[in-house]
Amino acid sequence: VQLQASGGGSVQAGGSLSLSCAASGSVFTIKDMSWYRQPVGKARELVAVINLDGVTNYGDSMKERFTISRDNAKHTISLQMNDLKAEDTGTYYCHARAPNYIGRMYDFWGQGTLVTVSS
């Protein structure tokens, strides 16, 4: 599975950005897909996750401002981010989990896209 993220950039606080991630390769094996982020000098953290049925879960304080969506037919996920704050600055990574032929789950990561929010 290969993941290609796009849509990062710079925005003023209070603004919005949308990220997209396209999966390729063994896409029909993919289970959960998610977004993580990593601020400079900090650990990577979950932003949002969505399963095949569209059930979502969000990291702390993100549910009110962020929305994750998934298009199973196109093998893509998106992240709509509203009311962005300076602390949302970081590199955002697309992530997917998929099993191999014996059912062992593997993690796949995209290359990361930078989001910069200026106050």
Side-chain angles (χ1 to χ4, degrees), residues 57-108:
N57 195 21
Y58 293 85
D60 292 343
S61 78
M62 299 179 204
K63 185 174 184 177
E64 294 81 7
R65 301 182 294 120
F66 294 0
T67 302
I68 189 171
S69 59
R70 180 170 182 166
D71 186 331
N72 289 329
K74 295 182 179 179
H75 313 296
T76 60
I77 59 169
S78 297
L79 183 70
Q80 178 64 40
M81 303 183 290
N82 298 325
D83 190 24
L84 283 161
K85 306 177 187 301
E87 53 263 39
D88 294 317
T89 295
T91 300
Y92 285 67
Y93 295 92
C94 180
H95 168 264
R97 298 203 81 205
N100 65 3
Y101 69 100
I102 60 171
R104 177 179 178 180
M105 298 300 288
Y106 283 86
D107 294 294
F108 299 89

Side-chain angles (χ1 to χ4, degrees), residues 37-56:
R37 71 184 184 188
Q38 187 166 20
V40 175
K42 296 185 178 180
R44 194 172 295 189
E45 62 179 349
L46 174 70
V47 175
V49 58
I50 185 167
N51 69 9
L52 279 169
D53 297 322
V55 177
T56 60

